[in-house]
Amino acid sequence: MSQVDRPDLSTATGGSQSASSRQSASESASESADTAPVAASVASRAAEAVASKTVNFVHDILVQNTERFIRRHGRGLSRHVENTLLRIHHCRSEALGKRVYRCDACNYETTVFNSCGDRHCPNCAGAKRRDWLDKTLRVICPGVTYFQVVFTLPGELSALALGNRTEIYNLLFETAWQSLRTKVEKELGIQAAGLAVLHTWDQRLEHHPHVHLMVPGNGPSLDGTSWVNCRLTKGTKGKPPAPFLVDNKELGREFRDLFLSRLTEAVSRGQIRLEEPGYISDLIDDLEARDWVVFIEGPPRPDCGPDQMVKYLTRYLTGGPISNQRIVGERDGQVHFMARSRKKIDGRRPQVEEQLPAVEFVRRWTLHIVPPEFTKVRWYASWSPRHRKAYTELCHRLYAARLSGANERATLAFQGQSSPANSQCQPAQTQPAGQQSEHAKSKAVREHLCPHCSQPMACIVTEQRPSWREVFYGPYHPEWFEWVTSGNFPPSDDLLDNGEAEMLELAHTQAASADIFDEIIWLLKQARE
């Protein structure tokens, strides 16, 4: 059994959901449409934090509080979680080697330490996210209306998922896509295509596994000979027709039935690890009687393209469940951050400031470390690498033929293909490969300009990053690494109240031997119980 998939002490309390699944799905799906107010609110809070000198980035919070986290939860952590925290600890530090840049014009030199490259690290993989965004925007075709579909697992399955991450997350991917593909092909009669991204968190970093799927609502017919239009709602007197994919309640029931059927099969084959095998049948019976949440969102405005949706999915591909922009600061052992309110005000959920004890913040952050080599972004059917090129060419050809054969002004206006009213919602225009490479080169040069004379700087020293074994067991490792390798953990001081802390301090100074000290600790624990 893989260590990363066994239930951890640090994740044992991650199953409770503070908000309903329906609200959480709506929050995560609509976040991309509300970025402007969110950015303004976060910027204001960040400015106040800068003035009070309390700003911390996610990386700093993790590094500064990992030792206390290990004291409390270290005995239950998997090796993969430990290694991830170690890599983050060493990121952009002397332990990983360096590069030295010099300006020939003014002889100014600067040192840049190597990054860890871990996909969970808040400091790393910005270039990979930009590359993925560029690649994804290239599959966007003119004339196509795109929908976001969010499949959410009920909170009762959270604990089971934490103990069987690979199996449950794979099951979530497979059943979400299969149920959606079946309805799209059956009801719309188009070739299905999908991009799926796994998120495992909510706004407050609780464990909340769900999959975001971006799918086209129109396109080539199943036989590839004609173009199928996007379906529209009937509309009312005060509400114009809007794009319509499929009924979300029916889709939720089909997703529920398929997931529970596959889960039952996996349990019978012994693929799911259970602490109490008897409870799973009762859990499945209970979940079968409930509706599961599937959230479907079309374009928020007639002129809006899929850019904002893609950018939202890109934001959390790497770096963990919370970005630096949401961090207000760490003060008095509490991490303050911005999160969407659970209550609506004037029809919206504004950003509010939340706070967590620093150790609890680290614990919740580690809930979202995915298993090694797990693929959290998946392309399906016509967007799979094998079929993507042919499908894209077919979309362009059929849509061009449709435009030349009939006047479709109403559809074009809705899909934003004529006189776009809002440039922020328009699909990004891709440049020829040659121009893109030149742009990348110029950007690389700008990243290493001299801060004094603005001239390009040359790299004069390059040190390769050593192996992780050399780093972990080298002179730069933190003290807590010795605790986890030896299994000897010091007591967690933050578990004690003031009176117990005084007794512990007295034990440190007066105990004549380790046996006396251990006995005092045992007595303290018994007193608490």
Tab-separated table of all heavy atoms in Angstrom, residues 11-56:
chain	number	residue	atom	x	y	z
A	11	THR	N	-4.971	14.370	8.419
A	11	THR	CA	-6.143	14.531	7.562
A	11	THR	C	-7.373	13.876	8.143
A	11	THR	O	-8.404	13.813	7.500
A	11	THR	CB	-5.864	13.913	6.178
A	11	THR	OG1	-5.598	12.512	6.336
A	11	THR	CG2	-4.692	14.580	5.507
A	12	ALA	N	-7.287	13.399	9.379
A	12	ALA	CA	-8.391	12.638	9.933
A	12	ALA	C	-9.626	13.483	10.150
A	12	ALA	O	-10.737	12.983	10.156
A	12	ALA	CB	-7.974	11.984	11.258
A	13	THR	N	-9.465	14.781	10.351
A	13	THR	CA	-10.607	15.643	10.611
A	13	THR	C	-11.036	16.415	9.394
A	13	THR	O	-11.787	17.366	9.485
A	13	THR	CB	-10.265	16.644	11.732
A	13	THR	OG1	-9.143	17.441	11.300
A	13	THR	CG2	-9.941	15.923	13.009
A	14	GLY	N	-10.570	16.011	8.215
A	14	GLY	CA	-10.878	16.788	7.010
A	14	GLY	C	-12.214	16.466	6.393
A	14	GLY	O	-12.571	17.037	5.380
A	15	GLY	N	-12.991	15.532	6.972
A	15	GLY	CA	-14.216	15.122	6.322
A	15	GLY	C	-15.385	16.050	6.530
A	15	GLY	O	-16.338	16.029	5.790
A	16	SER	N	-15.379	16.866	7.582
A	16	SER	CA	-16.522	17.720	7.861
A	16	SER	C	-16.566	18.887	6.894
A	16	SER	O	-15.554	19.495	6.591
A	16	SER	CB	-16.437	18.236	9.298
A	16	SER	OG	-15.280	19.003	9.455
A	17	GLN	N	-17.751	19.213	6.437
A	17	GLN	CA	-17.930	20.321	5.506
A	17	GLN	C	-18.674	21.435	6.218
A	17	GLN	O	-19.759	21.231	6.752
A	17	GLN	CB	-18.716	19.882	4.267
A	17	GLN	CG	-17.994	18.837	3.452
A	17	GLN	CD	-16.730	19.378	2.829
A	17	GLN	OE1	-16.669	20.530	2.450
A	17	GLN	NE2	-15.717	18.567	2.756
A	18	SER	N	-18.090	22.617	6.203
A	18	SER	CA	-18.693	23.737	6.900
A	18	SER	C	-19.830	24.355	6.119
A	18	SER	O	-20.650	25.068	6.665
A	18	SER	CB	-17.628	24.807	7.184
A	18	SER	OG	-17.004	25.212	5.995
A	19	ALA	N	-19.896	24.151	4.826
A	19	ALA	CA	-20.969	24.692	3.987
A	19	ALA	C	-21.527	23.565	3.160
A	19	ALA	O	-20.921	22.521	2.992
A	19	ALA	CB	-20.442	25.810	3.096
A	20	SER	N	-22.702	23.775	2.603
A	20	SER	CA	-23.328	22.743	1.792
A	20	SER	C	-22.564	22.554	0.498
A	20	SER	O	-21.884	23.443	0.013
A	20	SER	CB	-24.783	23.130	1.489
A	20	SER	OG	-24.807	24.245	0.631
A	21	SER	N	-22.686	21.335	-0.081
A	21	SER	CA	-22.009	21.063	-1.347
A	21	SER	C	-22.521	21.955	-2.455
A	21	SER	O	-21.777	22.389	-3.321
A	21	SER	CB	-22.207	19.590	-1.733
A	21	SER	OG	-21.612	18.748	-0.785
A	22	ARG	N	-23.823	22.265	-2.430
A	22	ARG	CA	-24.389	23.102	-3.489
A	22	ARG	C	-23.771	24.491	-3.452
A	22	ARG	O	-23.385	25.050	-4.471
A	22	ARG	CB	-25.904	23.195	-3.323
A	22	ARG	CG	-26.595	24.000	-4.420
A	22	ARG	CD	-28.091	24.053	-4.186
A	22	ARG	NE	-28.657	22.726	-4.126
A	22	ARG	CZ	-28.990	22.027	-5.207
A	22	ARG	NH1	-28.810	22.530	-6.403
A	22	ARG	NH2	-29.496	20.819	-5.084
A	23	GLN	N	-23.669	25.073	-2.256
A	23	GLN	CA	-23.088	26.413	-2.155
A	23	GLN	C	-21.634	26.409	-2.567
A	23	GLN	O	-21.174	27.292	-3.278
A	23	GLN	CB	-23.221	26.918	-0.713
A	23	GLN	CG	-22.519	28.247	-0.472
A	23	GLN	CD	-22.700	28.701	0.961
A	23	GLN	OE1	-23.754	28.581	1.533
A	23	GLN	NE2	-21.642	29.231	1.537
A	24	SER	N	-20.877	25.387	-2.143
A	24	SER	CA	-19.451	25.342	-2.467
A	24	SER	C	-19.228	25.195	-3.959
A	24	SER	O	-18.327	25.807	-4.521
A	24	SER	CB	-18.789	24.184	-1.717
A	24	SER	OG	-18.920	24.369	-0.326
A	25	ALA	N	-20.058	24.372	-4.622
A	25	ALA	CA	-19.903	24.226	-6.067
A	25	ALA	C	-20.196	25.530	-6.778
A	25	ALA	O	-19.499	25.923	-7.708
A	25	ALA	CB	-20.833	23.123	-6.579
A	26	SER	N	-21.246	26.216	-6.339
A	26	SER	CA	-21.578	27.501	-6.953
A	26	SER	C	-20.481	28.517	-6.732
A	26	SER	O	-20.135	29.282	-7.621
A	26	SER	CB	-22.899	28.014	-6.365
A	26	SER	OG	-23.205	29.291	-6.885
A	27	GLU	N	-19.887	28.519	-5.503
A	27	GLU	CA	-18.809	29.461	-5.222
A	27	GLU	C	-17.619	29.222	-6.123
A	27	GLU	O	-17.063	30.147	-6.718
A	27	GLU	CB	-18.376	29.326	-3.756
A	27	GLU	CG	-19.404	29.836	-2.767
A	27	GLU	CD	-18.980	29.578	-1.337
A	27	GLU	OE1	-17.879	29.012	-1.147
A	27	GLU	OE2	-19.713	29.941	-0.416
A	28	SER	N	-17.185	27.957	-6.238
A	28	SER	CA	-15.984	27.677	-7.015
A	28	SER	C	-16.206	27.916	-8.495
A	28	SER	O	-15.312	28.376	-9.203
A	28	SER	CB	-15.552	26.219	-6.789
A	28	SER	OG	-16.573	25.344	-7.177
A	29	ALA	N	-17.419	27.642	-8.991
A	29	ALA	CA	-17.675	27.819	-10.416
A	29	ALA	C	-17.834	29.272	-10.808
A	29	ALA	O	-17.505	29.665	-11.918
A	29	ALA	CB	-18.933	27.045	-10.820
A	30	SER	N	-18.338	30.091	-9.886
A	30	SER	CA	-18.598	31.490	-10.233
A	30	SER	C	-17.449	32.408	-9.892
A	30	SER	O	-17.501	33.589	-10.189
A	30	SER	CB	-19.847	31.978	-9.497
A	30	SER	OG	-19.652	31.921	-8.102
A	31	GLU	N	-16.390	31.893	-9.280
A	31	GLU	CA	-15.296	32.756	-8.851
A	31	GLU	C	-14.661	33.490	-10.020
A	31	GLU	O	-14.269	34.649	-9.909
A	31	GLU	CB	-14.239	31.935	-8.110
A	31	GLU	CG	-13.071	32.773	-7.619
A	31	GLU	CD	-12.107	31.947	-6.795
A	31	GLU	OE1	-12.495	30.873	-6.333
A	31	GLU	OE2	-10.963	32.387	-6.626
A	32	SER	N	-14.563	32.810	-11.182
A	32	SER	CA	-13.893	33.424	-12.321
A	32	SER	C	-14.657	34.625	-12.856
A	32	SER	O	-14.072	35.494	-13.501
A	32	SER	CB	-13.723	32.393	-13.444
A	32	SER	OG	-14.975	31.894	-13.843
A	33	ALA	N	-15.941	34.730	-12.588
A	33	ALA	CA	-16.729	35.851	-13.101
A	33	ALA	C	-16.672	37.067	-12.193
A	33	ALA	O	-17.155	38.133	-12.542
A	33	ALA	CB	-18.188	35.431	-13.275
A	34	ASP	N	-16.081	36.921	-10.975
A	34	ASP	CA	-16.088	38.009	-10.007
A	34	ASP	C	-14.689	38.460	-9.649
A	34	ASP	O	-14.423	38.894	-8.545
A	34	ASP	CB	-16.805	37.559	-8.722
A	34	ASP	CG	-18.231	37.135	-8.996
A	34	ASP	OD1	-18.844	37.739	-9.881
A	34	ASP	OD2	-18.705	36.204	-8.330
A	35	THR	N	-13.752	38.348	-10.557
A	35	THR	CA	-12.359	38.602	-10.215
A	35	THR	C	-12.085	40.065	-9.918
A	35	THR	O	-11.228	40.366	-9.091
A	35	THR	CB	-11.452	38.157	-11.373
A	35	THR	OG1	-11.895	38.788	-12.575
A	35	THR	CG2	-11.483	36.657	-11.536
A	36	ALA	N	-12.783	40.987	-10.559
A	36	ALA	CA	-12.483	42.410	-10.344
A	36	ALA	C	-12.782	42.857	-8.921
A	36	ALA	O	-11.923	43.427	-8.251
A	36	ALA	CB	-13.247	43.257	-11.362
A	37	PRO	N	-14.015	42.620	-8.369
A	37	PRO	CA	-14.264	43.014	-6.984
A	37	PRO	C	-13.359	42.295	-6.007
A	37	PRO	O	-12.918	42.859	-5.014
A	37	PRO	CB	-15.741	42.636	-6.770
A	37	PRO	CG	-16.318	42.485	-8.119
A	37	PRO	CD	-15.206	42.055	-9.008
A	38	VAL	N	-13.080	41.015	-6.276
A	38	VAL	CA	-12.207	40.249	-5.394
A	38	VAL	C	-10.815	40.859	-5.366
A	38	VAL	O	-10.214	41.057	-4.305
A	38	VAL	CB	-12.134	38.781	-5.860
A	38	VAL	CG1	-11.077	38.032	-5.076
A	38	VAL	CG2	-13.483	38.112	-5.677
A	39	ALA	N	-10.286	41.183	-6.544
A	39	ALA	CA	-8.940	41.738	-6.607
A	39	ALA	C	-8.861	43.065	-5.864
A	39	ALA	O	-7.897	43.332	-5.151
A	39	ALA	CB	-8.532	41.930	-8.067
A	40	ALA	N	-9.894	43.891	-5.998
A	40	ALA	CA	-9.885	45.182	-5.321
A	40	ALA	C	-9.915	45.007	-3.810
A	40	ALA	O	-9.193	45.682	-3.070
A	40	ALA	CB	-11.081	46.019	-5.787
A	41	SER	N	-10.760	44.067	-3.353
A	41	SER	CA	-10.854	43.837	-1.919
A	41	SER	C	-9.554	43.295	-1.350
A	41	SER	O	-9.065	43.741	-0.321
A	41	SER	CB	-12.003	42.861	-1.628
A	41	SER	OG	-12.057	42.545	-0.260
A	42	VAL	N	-8.985	42.303	-2.052
A	42	VAL	CA	-7.732	41.715	-1.591
A	42	VAL	C	-6.611	42.739	-1.634
A	42	VAL	O	-5.780	42.811	-0.721
A	42	VAL	CB	-7.376	40.482	-2.455
A	42	VAL	CG1	-5.997	39.974	-2.094
A	42	VAL	CG2	-8.405	39.387	-2.241
A	43	ALA	N	-6.572	43.565	-2.682
A	43	ALA	CA	-5.518	44.577	-2.777
A	43	ALA	C	-5.604	45.559	-1.620
A	43	ALA	O	-4.587	45.971	-1.052
A	43	ALA	CB	-5.633	45.317	-4.110
A	44	SER	N	-6.835	45.940	-1.241
A	44	SER	CA	-7.002	46.860	-0.127
A	44	SER	C	-6.513	46.248	1.173
A	44	SER	O	-5.808	46.879	1.952
A	44	SER	CB	-8.487	47.238	-0.004
A	44	SER	OG	-8.708	48.039	1.130
A	45	ARG	N	-6.885	44.979	1.399
A	45	ARG	CA	-6.429	44.306	2.613
A	45	ARG	C	-4.916	44.152	2.618
A	45	ARG	O	-4.262	44.311	3.647
A	45	ARG	CB	-7.086	42.918	2.708
A	45	ARG	CG	-8.592	42.973	2.862
A	45	ARG	CD	-8.979	43.314	4.274
A	45	ARG	NE	-10.415	43.273	4.454
A	45	ARG	CZ	-11.021	43.368	5.629
A	45	ARG	NH1	-10.313	43.535	6.718
A	45	ARG	NH2	-12.334	43.339	5.710
A	46	ALA	N	-4.364	43.823	1.465
A	46	ALA	CA	-2.917	43.626	1.377
A	46	ALA	C	-2.179	44.929	1.675
A	46	ALA	O	-1.131	44.932	2.333
A	46	ALA	CB	-2.532	43.104	0.002
A	47	ALA	N	-2.732	46.067	1.190
A	47	ALA	CA	-2.088	47.354	1.449
A	47	ALA	C	-2.061	47.655	2.947
A	47	ALA	O	-1.063	48.147	3.483
A	47	ALA	CB	-2.832	48.459	0.692
A	48	GLU	N	-3.178	47.343	3.630
A	48	GLU	CA	-3.202	47.548	5.068
A	48	GLU	C	-2.182	46.657	5.765
A	48	GLU	O	-1.518	47.062	6.729
A	48	GLU	CB	-4.604	47.247	5.607
A	48	GLU	CG	-5.677	48.195	5.080
A	48	GLU	CD	-7.055	47.775	5.532
A	48	GLU	OE1	-7.144	46.791	6.302
A	48	GLU	OE2	-8.049	48.412	5.123
A	49	ALA	N	-2.053	45.406	5.284
A	49	ALA	CA	-1.112	44.482	5.901
A	49	ALA	C	0.323	44.929	5.687
A	49	ALA	O	1.174	44.794	6.572
A	49	ALA	CB	-1.315	43.071	5.336
A	50	VAL	N	0.605	45.474	4.495
A	50	VAL	CA	1.960	45.969	4.228
A	50	VAL	C	2.308	47.091	5.198
A	50	VAL	O	3.406	47.158	5.742
A	50	VAL	CB	2.070	46.460	2.771
A	50	VAL	CG1	3.367	47.224	2.564
A	50	VAL	CG2	1.997	45.281	1.817
A	51	ALA	N	1.336	47.987	5.436
A	51	ALA	CA	1.583	49.110	6.333
A	51	ALA	C	1.887	48.634	7.754
A	51	ALA	O	2.688	49.237	8.466
A	51	ALA	CB	0.375	50.038	6.332
A	52	SER	N	1.263	47.516	8.170
A	52	SER	CA	1.499	47.008	9.523
A	52	SER	C	2.603	45.963	9.583
A	52	SER	O	2.843	45.370	10.620
A	52	SER	CB	0.205	46.401	10.080
A	52	SER	OG	-0.235	45.326	9.267
A	53	LYS	N	3.262	45.701	8.429
A	53	LYS	CA	4.385	44.775	8.351
A	53	LYS	C	3.988	43.361	8.788
A	53	LYS	O	4.727	42.680	9.493
A	53	LYS	CB	5.558	45.270	9.186
A	53	LYS	CG	6.098	46.625	8.722
A	53	LYS	CD	7.292	47.054	9.551
A	53	LYS	CE	7.825	48.399	9.073
A	53	LYS	NZ	8.997	48.857	9.865
A	54	THR	N	2.808	42.913	8.375
A	54	THR	CA	2.365	41.577	8.745
A	54	THR	C	2.183	40.671	7.538
A	54	THR	O	1.693	39.564	7.675
A	54	THR	CB	1.024	41.650	9.502
A	54	THR	OG1	0.055	42.291	8.668
A	54	THR	CG2	1.171	42.415	10.798
A	55	VAL	N	2.564	41.128	6.349
A	55	VAL	CA	2.348	40.329	5.150
A	55	VAL	C	3.256	39.104	5.146
A	55	VAL	O	4.441	39.200	5.440
A	55	VAL	CB	2.589	41.170	3.889
A	55	VAL	CG1	2.742	40.294	2.666
A	55	VAL	CG2	1.444	42.133	3.691
A	56	ASN	N	2.685	37.951	4.828
A	56	ASN	CA	3.442	36.731	4.629
A	56	ASN	C	2.913	36.059	3.384
A	56	ASN	O	1.704	36.047	3.154
A	56	ASN	CB	3.296	35.781	5.820
A	56	ASN	CG	4.082	36.235	7.024
A	56	ASN	OD1	5.266	35.998	7.133
A	56	ASN	ND2	3.407	36.915	7.942
